Amino acid sequence: MLCGENGAGKSTLMKILNGIYKADMGEIRIDGKPVEIHNPQDARNHGIAMIFQELNFVPEMTVEENLFLGCEPTIGPPGLRRVDWKRIRRESLAMMETEGVYYPPDEKLRYLSVSDIQMLEITKAVSRDADIIIMDEPTSAITSREVEGLMKKIDELRAKGIAIIYISHKMDEIFRIADQITILRDGSVVDSRPASEYDIDKVISLMVGRTITNVYPKEKVPVGDVVFKAENLCRSGVFDDVSFEVRAGEIVGFAGLVGAGRTEVARAVFGLDHIDSGRVYIKGEEKRVRSVRDSMSSGVVMLSEDRRRYGIIPMRSVEENAALSSLGLFIYNGYLHSGKQKKIVSDSFRSMNVKTPTLDTSIESLSGGNQQKVLIAKWLLTDPAVLFLDEPTRGIDVGAKFEIYKLMVGLARQGKGIVMISSELPELLGMCDRIYVMGGGRINGMLEPEGYSQENIMRLATGV
């Protein structure tokens, strides 16, 4: 088990093992013998497979094309060989049946959810007969049922003698499956010993270099008037009769199983998807939200659950990503006033403790937690009244989560309304003033703090 804050070097180290990056010094040994790994094909030849934290996929590719990407079987005489599509179809179906996942092999990935794509990546890695499997936050985007399936698969792999390097920020996973725990901080190993010699507080303290005494720093702040209200929102086949409200200074949670409709409701009120019927009120005034521009001009913004796919522009700098939604502040008289942009973005990063070498650094080189903070900074520069945060702490460590929680509390203190969509029930219970629970495209109930419990949420989510 490999633990550490975002930016500690975990993923970078694993990418060296997988041949994506080249180490400046040191050596890699497999079965006691030094090996050279120059590229991912070398890693594959040495029996190494990796499941990446940031899902890299081609949306227009099909399920079967994704499963065999880079290792397509061919058929035919030398010089006239072609891809053996019949074999790909046959083996794709067999792989999915073995791993208990079922998707049409000709379905394009752009039609699948983050959870679906993560399960396919897991299927692809474990089906390649690897001797060493690197799993970088493999459960960050899958359901609790799928997590159980993955845990059983890990037990099966261990029984076969396969070594697993597992990166996770989830303490229950760490202590459930780890034999050995190695902790990185600022690019160095600070401790490594058998899991039995650790407890949760010790691991967190070593990861962040300080003791976090209250994981959820929720504060009671004055709650004002209703800043956002949805009445009877419907979208055919997706969600139906959804009504909720958010007050100034309030953190409102949305719970539910994958497919419950939480993200779909957020996308609709943000103007990404259409609404068939229903009404939206912002600060008491009815608004017609037909586009993202309508939503932003009304003071409503949304942080996507999939920052890689919908949030960041990977090749652009952190400054450009942060300024993207508020260019009107920096472009006037036909010119970009870069000095003003740099100052405002720099001040925003400083207040949010964004760790980046320079403002010109490409955002894809930052850790997941710092990418997330850049995206939140982007929306805060538009001075919104309401923020929809969809899985804001997915795939980031406890230290970065704590900073985002504090940021949410600070925004609530400023009188902003916050909607927090999360699959992690403890953080909803720890951070929210009220929790709406969805199931089957409907709101099945709303919980006040006196009724909070994971059991109550699951009863509502499952319709019991």
Side-chain angles (χ1 to χ4, degrees):
M1 183 68 70
L2 196 59
C3 303
E5 280 193 287
N6 284 100
K10 307 181 301 296
S11 295
T12 300
L13 179 59
M14 293 303 100
K15 287 175 181 177
I16 291 173
L17 297 185
N18 200 49
I20 295 172
Y21 297 154
K22 184 171 176 58
D24 295 326
M25 59 186 298
E27 67 177 10
I28 299 170
R29 290 175 175 266
I30 298 178
D31 293 328
K33 301 174 183 177
V35 298
E36 292 283 338
I37 299 177
H38 301 286
N39 52 56
Q41 187 61 53
D42 283 347
R44 191 178 301 157
N45 293 338
H46 285 293
I48 299 173
M50 182 169 177
I51 301 167
F52 292 89
Q53 175 186 357
E54 298 290 353
L55 298 175
N56 292 305
F57 61 95
V58 182
E60 292 302 317
M61 276 191 167
T62 64
V63 168
E64 60 190 2
E65 287 172 331
N66 173 72
L67 290 174
F68 281 87
L69 183 62
C71 56
E72 296 87 349
T74 58
I75 191 172
L80 294 174
R81 298 190 70 80
R82 63 187 186 280
V83 175
D84 189 349
W85 290 110
K86 289 184 178 180
R87 179 180 169 188
I88 286 177
R89 173 64 57 87
R90 183 174 64 252
E91 294 188 7
S92 293
L93 291 171
M95 287 164 57
M96 288 190 286
E97 184 175 358
T98 299
E99 302 306 322
V101 294
Y102 304 97
Y103 306 106
D106 57 352
E107 182 86 80
K108 289 186 177 180
L109 295 191
R110 66 189 176 98
Y111 296 117
L112 301 184
S113 68
V114 175
S115 173
D116 294 332
I117 295 168
Q118 183 74 294
M119 289 305 298
L120 284 173
E121 288 298 303
I122 293 169
T123 298
K124 181 165 61 175
V126 301
S127 65
R128 287 186 172 170
D129 298 323
D131 299 314
I132 302 167
I133 298 179
I134 302 167
M135 299 184 177
D136 192 353
E137 294 285 352
T139 64
S140 62
I142 61 178
T143 66
S144 56
R145 180 180 177 184
E146 290 164 339
V147 170
E148 285 303 313
L150 177 61
M151 294 297 120
K152 290 179 181 177
K153 174 56 64 176
I154 288 173
D155 289 338
E156 292 173 11
L157 295 171
R158 292 165 69 179
K160 294 177 182 177
I162 294 172
I164 297 170
I165 302 174
Y166 195 101
I167 299 174
S168 179
H169 300 123
K170 298 180 179 179
M171 294 297 146
D172 56 337
E173 292 178 6
I174 291 171
F175 286 95
R176 177 175 177 178
I177 65 174
D179 297 306
Q180 182 86 9
I181 297 177
T182 298
I183 301 170
L184 269 67
R185 188 169 71 236
D186 298 329
S188 300
V189 173
V190 294
D191 203 19
S192 182
R193 64 178 82 164
S196 59
E197 298 182 17
Y198 287 107
D199 59 27
I200 291 175
D201 291 339
K202 181 67 174 176
V203 170
I204 292 175
S205 177
L206 287 168
M207 280 172 58
V208 302
R210 63 190 185 279
T211 301
I212 296 178
T213 55
N214 184 5
V215 177
Y216 304 109
K218 183 72 172 76
E219 296 177 11
K220 273 287 185 183
V221 301
V223 174
D225 296 331
V226 173
V227 289
F228 183 92
K229 184 177 181 179
E231 282 187 353
N232 310 116
L233 299 184
C234 299
R235 187 173 181 219
S236 180
V238 182
F239 54 81
D240 184 50
D241 196 27
V242 172
S243 299
F244 64 96
E245 64 181 31
V246 186
R247 295 179 177 275
E250 201 176 28
I251 300 176
V252 175
F254 264 72
L257 304 175
V258 170
R262 300 166 301 165
T263 294
E264 289 76 9
V265 169
R267 285 177 57 89
V269 298
F270 187 49
L272 288 167
D273 299 326
H274 73 273
I275 300 171
D276 294 334
S277 61
R279 297 182 176 185
V280 171
Y281 299 87
I282 300 171
K283 293 185 176 179
E285 183 179 347
E286 184 175 357
K287 298 286 185 180
R288 293 195 66 186
V289 180
R290 292 165 293 187
S291 67
V292 171
R293 185 184 296 273
D294 290 342
S295 179
M296 289 177 60
S297 64
S298 300
V300 177
V301 298
M302 176 186 173
L303 181 75
S304 169
E305 66 170 334
D306 188 347
R307 60 177 171 266
R308 183 85 182 182
R309 192 173 180 183
Y310 299 117
I312 67 171
I313 301 177
M315 296 298 204
R316 310 302 288 185
S317 71
V318 291
E319 178 185 339
E320 290 171 305
N321 273 271
L324 191 61
S325 295
S326 52
L327 290 175
L329 294 174
F330 316 119
I331 297 178
Y332 45 92
N333 296 329
Y335 294 96
L336 170 65
H337 293 255
S338 58
K340 180 180 180 182
Q341 176 174 292
K342 285 185 183 296
K343 183 180 186 310
I344 290 178
V345 170
S346 180
D347 290 346
S348 176
F349 284 2
R350 192 177 302 110
S351 68
M352 294 179 61
N353 195 28
V354 177
K355 296 177 183 176
T356 177
T358 69
L359 292 180
D360 295 324
T361 300
S362 66
I363 193 169
E364 65 179 346
S365 67
L366 298 190
S367 66
N370 283 299
Q371 288 181 9
Q372 196 76 312
K373 286 191 279 187
V374 170
L375 293 178
I376 294 174
K378 175 183 75 173
W379 289 123
L380 291 182
L381 289 178
T382 69
D383 191 25
V386 183
L387 296 92
F388 283 78
L389 306 179
D390 194 356
E391 303 286 0
T393 65
R394 171 174 285 168
I396 63 178
D397 64 77
V398 289
K401 283 183 179 182
F402 187 74
E403 291 185 0
I404 287 179
Y405 296 149
K406 288 199 299 182
L407 175 64
M408 290 169 61
V409 172
L411 294 172
R413 203 183 298 119
Q414 294 173 26
K416 298 188 185 298
I418 298 172
V419 176
M420 181 185 193
I421 301 170
S422 177
S423 298
E424 294 192 28
L425 300 187
E427 74 176 4
L428 288 176
L429 297 171
M431 289 301 299
C432 296
D433 298 293
R434 291 182 295 118
I435 301 173
Y436 290 97
V437 185
M438 291 192 68
R442 289 176 171 270
I443 290 180
N444 290 340
M446 190 269 290
L447 296 174
E448 301 275 2
E450 57 269 19
Y452 278 6
S453 74
Q454 295 194 37
E455 291 78 9
N456 286 342
I457 291 177
M458 290 307 296
R459 286 192 187 98
L460 288 170
T462 56
V464 177

